[in-house]
Amino acid sequence: MEQMPRAAVDPLVVGGVIGDVVDMFVPAADLSLHYGTKHLCNGMEINPHSAAQSPRLLITASVPVPTPNYYTLVMVDPDAPSPSEPTFREWLHWLVIDIPEGSDASEGKEVMEYMGPQPPTGIHRYVFVAFKQNSLMETVRRRPVERGQFNTRQFASENDLGLPAAALYFNSQKQPAGNKKH
């Protein structure tokens, strides 16, 4: 295996994203996320207040292609309601389809409105997974899409999305009342 793809998925293995949310994959796209001025890297700590609004999110293919690609973005919390008892695994926080490559996620079709992190207890992982679509989807095959007990692997299978093209996650925990930023 090449060093580059392995290095790109190592934080996902260490963070348990590969295993809990998705299977091992070779990255085929780059995922860039910004909450305000903060650029996200795997495993960063973000307080819930800073992530209350949807991020700027760009997906670009690792290797340019002549025809435009479209992507599906899934954001889940695999630790709901608590990391020690994730009975709601996975909690769907955001679902956007038909995101044009190189465009912000807001250019896609939002299937499930963005919901910022609201960890009730413990440190939660918030996972963004981008899947390359075979063509425009316009709608998802599984209706209705529910927030609770969402399954990223099952969703990808039902919509012929295959393995992820990219993934990124951050950690968040409930802020003590005196530590909230306004």
Side-chain angles (χ1 to χ4, degrees):
M1 182 182 269
E2 295 176 26
Q3 281 299 96
M4 177 63 172
R6 179 70 203 178
V9 296
D10 280 349
L12 301 171
V13 172
V14 171
V17 171
I18 292 179
D20 287 349
V21 180
V22 295
D23 295 322
M24 182 62 79
F25 68 97
V26 175
D30 297 312
L31 194 54
S32 175
L33 266 101
H34 290 82
Y35 279 107
T37 59
K38 188 173 279 197
H39 180 257
L40 259 65
C41 297
N42 275 313
M44 283 183 77
E45 178 81 21
I46 302 288
N47 72 50
H49 180 77
S50 297
Q53 302 299 316
S54 62
R56 287 189 331 268
L57 185 143
L58 295 173
I59 306 167
T60 52
S62 298
V63 177
V65 294
T67 56
N69 289 319
Y70 291 92
Y71 293 88
T72 291
L73 176 78
V74 173
M75 177 189 176
V76 296
D77 173 358
D79 302 317
S82 76
S84 60
E85 291 187 37
T87 55
F88 297 148
R89 177 176 287 171
E90 301 159 21
W91 187 265
L92 180 63
H93 278 259
W94 200 19
L95 177 58
V96 184
I97 62 172
D98 297 337
I99 302 169
E101 182 177 322
S103 299
D104 187 75
S106 64
E107 298 296 316
K109 182 177 178 188
E110 194 172 63
V111 175
M112 181 63 72
E113 183 179 335
Y114 179 82
M115 174 187 198
Q118 300 173 0
T121 183
I123 299 172
H124 288 239
R125 297 165 293 167
Y126 292 88
V127 181
F128 295 86
V129 184
F131 294 95
K132 184 178 172 289
Q133 298 174 192
N134 295 319
S135 61
L136 280 172
M137 289 174 58
E138 297 179 8
T139 188
V140 294
R141 292 192 181 140
R142 180 180 170 204
R143 288 283 187 178
V145 173
E146 304 283 336
R147 288 196 190 269
Q149 297 180 326
F150 184 82
N151 185 304
T152 301
R153 285 182 185 96
Q154 181 180 347
F155 176 81
S157 175
E158 291 170 351
N159 289 281
D160 298 323
L161 296 172
L163 290 172
L168 186 67
Y169 81 100
F170 69 88
N171 295 312
S172 192
Q173 60 185 314
K174 187 174 185 173
Q175 297 298 115
N179 286 357
K180 291 185 180 175
K181 293 181 182 176
H182 297 284

